[in-house]
Structure formats: structure tokens, C-alpha cells
Amino acid sequence: MPETLTITDNRTGKSYEISIADGTIRASDLRQIKVDANDFGLMSYDPAFMNTASCKSSITYLDGDAGILRYRGYPIEQLAEQSTYLEVAYLLLHGELPNQTELAAWQHSITTHTFVHEFLKRALEGYRYDAHPMGRLVAFLATLSTFYTDAKRVREPEIRMQHVVRIIAKMPTIAAWAFRHSLGRPYVYPNNDLGYCGNFLAMLFQIAEPKYKVNPVLERALDVLFILHADHEQNCSTSAARGVGSAESDPYVALAAASAALYGPLHGGANEAVLRMLKKIGSVKEIPAFIESVKHGDGKLMGFGHRVYKNYDPRAKVIKKLADDVFEVTGRNPLLDIALELEKIALSDEYFIKRKLYPNVDFYSGLIYQAMGFPVEMFPVLFAIPRASGWLSQWSEMLDDPEQKISRPRQIYTGTDVRNYVPIAKR
Ligand code: ACO
């Protein structure tokens, strides 16, 4: 079977044969299709990139119809069960799981870069106590860029990796300090004897220093949530990181841009919306009326549906199980009963079945975060911390891809044709 596409241009009667590779045609192959020699050539129009692959990537595989998610070939369920977040971050960045020696060296370099410049504390003081922690995260990432001027040398592998390590190591510190600042609590410095998530929990919640003990169940739960959120191929924030990085800006500002994209309620803010919705429903007996209102177009069932998954989001399955472990420690989140009943009813309702609407990653994660003591504003920050490893892997892959250049989409101009300037007195 020839891997080609034959296109006939009915404007000219000419036919063209275009190669198909990986189920894709190259948009630039369309440029040979012209009405005459002066014609620019045919372009494809794809607002919101609904059907355009912007890169080749060997990092994350996602099959939304089958509900499959794999990092570097490893099923997400196996990684969530057997791996750790730092091991997964290494896998995403390097393509292979580390051996014992590599993992020890990796953990050591992350652990020894957790401290941030004291000046950052002063920058933090510039914010009001009620500033959204996500806005602060965006600003702190950009601020770090001003500390590390060599980060612009993105073509030098050693320097690039040094900053990758710094960012992964410092994300929990800056997130925890933003949290402490909003509560008016003193900052807790990193404790390099603790693991990645244990250290994060201590920096967040430690009050009387010698007494604070990281609960191993909560530490593991957070680690699993970090694994599940580490990458999700070419989503809005990852595309922002790649786009900004394609100008060879440093990784701090590329990640500030990615975090800014994640900040939006259509992207990283849905778990917060789920909690607000569950609270608004209030009790199990109100669910049928709520479902009816959704079916009549009065709002959405938040935490359901996904642009890519038309099946149960595999991450949601893992999180649902995880919730039981967390609630054993923290006590049951009373909103869980509403969530479980809502899911049961929605999954048996024709409206949701027909539209292939299933729970997504955000349906249960907020309940866990809330039970662990996080305010809702921190939820997108908890998403950004592990996603940093995905953003950095994708950014680095983009820089090493010889086919990539500065990202620069085309447009279809719909404005006025040329006209002469009219002096203000004559308008
Ligand atoms: N509740 C009720 N109906 C829904 C929902 C929902 N959550 N999601 C989609 N639908 C309906 C739409 O109204 C539409 O119905 P119609 O065909 O009768 O018009 C149909 O299902 C198809 O929906 P689209 O809007 O075309 O789906 P799209 O892929 O554009 O949207 C999205 C995906 C944005 C995630 C959507 O499902 C949604 O808003 N869900 C709720 C918010 C949410 O949970 N977001 C988190 C996503 S996961 C993440 O970003 C990490």
C-alpha cells in the first residue's frame, strides 16, 4: 500500500502526490499547491491545534480512546505502583530508568540544590499575604532567571542539565515558601535528610521543629500524585514551554510561561472547580437534581470529560484508590460520598455515556489535597511542581530536535486592505 496522498486541486486541475509518514502529512508539502507562480501556496488552518502535530516526541504516549498513558513506554499504573517521582523525573529526562548508582547520584544532586538564594525571601516579602500562590510561582521562576545568567547557554549540555536539576530541586522550596508567606508563618529551610516529598511536606507544615514527623502514607501519596502529573505530552502549558524555549530563552522563563498557562482555569484549575462544585451540591440527595441541571446545559460536571481521553482517565483510577489510603490517615473527606455517588450516577446516565464523559485526573485529586491540609489556591501549584520535570524534558527534546526552529505559526489575515493614513482633523 503506497504511503501517499493524492490531492487534486480543482482550481487548476493539477494533481499532487504527498507522502504520509506516521499517519501524518507535512503541512509544508502543501505549499507546492499553487494557482500560479505568484501564489504563496496552500496552508492548513487549524485554530487551537485540533489536528496538528507540532513535534515528534519520544517522551509520553497517550491513547485517549483506550485510556492509555505511558512515560517512555512504561504504563502509568506501573510507575505509580512501583516507582518514585524522582525516578520518573530521571526517566522523562534521560529516556531510561536509572540504575542504583545513577539514581543515588541524581537524588544527591537534586537534594543539594533545594536551597534558594536569600534574596528570593526579599522578593517574597513584596507580595501581599493573599496573593495567589500560582502568580507568585510564575514570578519566582522568572526571578530565578535573573540569578543564573549562564542559564541562557541552552546549547551547552552540562549547563543545561545543571539548571534542570536546580529547577526540579527548587520548585518545592519556592512553592512551600509562597504558602508559608500567605499564612504569615516563618519559612522552613530544606532538610536534605528528607526525601523530595517529605522535605516538601516539612517545609509546608512544620511548626515546632523537633516535633514534626512526615507521615509516610501522606508522603507516598504525594509522591504518587507527582508521578501522575509529571507529563502529559503536548498540552497547553507544555506547548508554552516549547514555544518560549524555541526562542532559546532560558529554562526559568520558559517554565514561568508554562506555569502561567497552567494557572488558567481551563487547564490546571479544574480540581479547584470540582471542590467548589461538590460543596455546592452539598449532599447526596441533591445529586439527581444537579445531574439534571447539567444535562439541561446549566453548567458542567467538573472533573468529567477531557479533550483527549474518551475513556476513564487512567490517572483518575490510580487517584481514586489512593484516596482511601490518605483518608485512613486524615479522616474521610465528607465530600467523597458526594463524589462517589456522582460518578456512579453519571457513568450510568445516557447523556454522559453518549458523549464519552468519564472522570478525569482532577475529579478526585482535589479531595486528597484538601484532606492533606492544602487550600484550594495551592492545587495548581501542586500540579506545577512535578510537571516541571515534564516541561523540562519536552523543552530539552525540542532543543535537540534538528527539525525544530523558532516557533512561529502562520495566520490568515482578515483585516482591511491597504488604505491611506487620514489626518485626525479629517476623520
Ligand atoms: N459536563 C457536562 N457536559 C460536558 C462536559 C462536562 N464536564 N464536558 C463535555 N460535555 C459535553 C459538551 O457540552 C458537549 O455536549 P454537546 O455535544 O451536546 O454540545 C460534549 O460533551 C462534547 O464536549 P466538548 O466541549 O466538545 O469537549 P472538549 O474536548 O472541547 O472539552 C473539557 C474538554 C474542556 C475538558 C470539557 O470536558 C470540560 O469542560 N470538562 C470539565 C472541566 C474539567 O474537568 N477540566 C479538566 C480537564 S483535565 C486537565 O486539564 C488536567
Side-chain angles (χ1 to χ4, degrees):
M1 188 172 61
E3 288 287 296
T4 59
L5 177 76
T6 303
I7 299 178
T8 304
D9 185 347
N10 294 321
R11 299 170 302 176
T12 59
K14 276 199 210 160
S15 278
Y16 302 83
E17 193 161 308
I18 289 180
S19 304
I20 299 176
D22 304 314
T24 314
I25 60 159
R26 281 184 177 260
S28 52
D29 281 352
L30 300 174
R31 288 279 292 280
Q32 60 185 299
I33 305 176
K34 297 179 179 205
V35 181
D36 55 44
N38 295 327
D39 186 357
F40 179 77
L42 204 64
M43 290 196 302
S44 59
Y45 174 56
D46 189 12
F49 298 105
M50 295 290 285
N51 194 37
T52 295
S54 61
C55 64
K56 290 181 179 168
S57 180
S58 59
I59 299 173
T60 290
Y61 175 77
L62 207 174
D63 180 338
D65 290 323
I68 292 173
L69 175 63
R70 297 180 197 137
Y71 297 158
R72 301 282 191 187
Y74 294 103
I76 194 70
E77 296 83 357
Q78 289 182 22
L79 292 169
E81 175 91 32
Q82 299 173 54
S83 189
T84 63
Y85 167 66
L86 276 192
E87 196 180 43
V88 164
Y90 184 99
L91 171 71
L92 291 170
L93 282 156
H94 297 275
E96 295 298 335
L97 285 168
N99 62 27
Q100 231 14 294
T101 321
E102 288 162 340
L103 183 61
W106 173 243
Q107 281 168 336
H108 178 77
S109 41
I110 297 290
T111 308
T112 49
H113 285 89
T114 48
F115 277 71
V116 292
H117 198 290
E118 281 292 301
F119 186 84
L120 202 74
K121 268 191 350 204
R122 304 226 303 268
L124 201 55
E125 301 303 333
Y127 285 85
R128 265 175 58 127
Y129 70 96
D130 59 352
H132 197 288
M134 201 58 186
R136 277 186 273 195
L137 180 72
V138 173
F140 293 163
L141 280 165
T143 305
L144 285 176
S145 153
T146 67
F147 291 2
Y148 302 112
T149 45
D150 67 339
K152 289 180 188 66
R153 287 153 60 185
V154 296
R155 295 279 169 207
E156 294 171 54
E158 262 181 43
I159 292 186
R160 193 196 297 177
M161 189 45 78
Q162 204 173 52
H163 293 289
V164 164
V165 166
R166 282 201 171 110
I167 293 173
I168 294 175
K170 292 179 200 316
M171 287 294 281
T173 314
I174 55 184
W177 284 13
F179 175 76
R180 303 282 295 202
H181 179 249
S182 51
L183 295 178
R185 288 189 190 159
Y187 308 123
V188 176
Y189 282 86
N191 177 348
N192 290 347
D193 292 334
L194 298 174
Y196 192 80
C197 287
N199 177 42
F200 180 45
L201 287 170
M203 288 190 291
L204 289 161
F205 299 123
Q206 187 167 311
I207 294 182
E209 253 79 324
K211 285 189 199 150
Y212 185 80
K213 278 238 163 357
V214 178
N215 182 299
V217 176
L218 301 187
E219 184 180 5
R220 177 63 192 156
L222 196 60
D223 208 50
V224 173
L225 286 162
F226 279 9
I227 292 170
L228 299 178
H229 285 88
D231 195 49
H232 211 230
E233 52 120 302
Q234 308 314 314
N235 51 78
C236 180
S237 55
T238 302
S239 303
R242 278 182 174 259
V244 172
S246 76
E248 300 201 354
S249 304
D250 70 61
Y252 298 95
V253 290
L255 262 70
S259 304
L262 190 72
Y263 195 175
L266 295 189
H267 191 7
N271 47 16
E272 182 177 341
V274 171
L275 271 202
R276 295 193 200 286
M277 173 190 76
L278 294 175
K279 269 199 190 137
K280 197 172 141 210
I281 295 173
S283 75
V284 169
K285 70 175 179 10
E286 300 297 332
I287 293 175
F290 176 76
I291 294 271
E292 280 314 305
S293 70
V294 168
K295 284 159 62 177
H296 286 101
D298 187 12
K300 278 188 173 169
L301 175 49
M302 298 312 287
F304 262 64
H306 196 277
R307 171 61 61 77
V308 184
Y309 292 117
K310 299 302 168 198
N311 201 324
Y312 212 106
D313 182 335
R315 300 168 299 174
K317 274 190 199 155
V318 179
I319 291 179
K320 196 175 166 186
K321 270 200 253 154
L322 198 65
D324 295 332
D325 301 343
V326 171
F327 297 155
E328 284 260 312
V329 176
T330 60
R332 197 175 160 85
N333 188 326
L335 297 175
L336 179 68
D337 292 330
I338 302 177
L340 288 171
E341 187 62 18
L342 203 53
E343 178 187 333
K344 204 169 98 193
I345 295 179
L347 290 182
S348 58
D349 189 295
E350 185 55 25
Y351 175 95
F352 297 91
I353 296 170
K354 208 173 109 203
R355 291 169 179 78
K356 298 189 176 168
L357 298 170
Y358 293 88
N360 59 48
V361 67
D362 287 326
F363 193 64
Y364 288 105
S365 62
L367 289 172
I368 299 184
Y369 291 143
Q370 193 186 45
M372 288 172 86
F374 290 105
V376 284
E377 304 78 47
M378 276 297 279
F379 293 180
V381 177
L382 295 167
F383 194 150
I385 295 171
R387 185 53 64 86
S389 60
W391 289 331
L392 290 164
S393 309
Q394 300 271 352
W395 163 79
S396 193
E397 184 182 60
M398 179 271 306
L399 287 171
D400 291 339
D401 182 346
E403 282 199 304
Q404 291 291 341
K405 290 168 180 281
I406 186 166
S407 179
R408 202 328 182 164
R410 296 271 173 185
Q411 66 162 15
I412 300 170
Y413 176 68
T414 60
T416 316
D417 205 354
V418 65
R419 49 183 168 168
N420 290 323
Y421 181 81
V422 182
I424 197 157
K426 293 200 174 163
R427 281 177 227 159

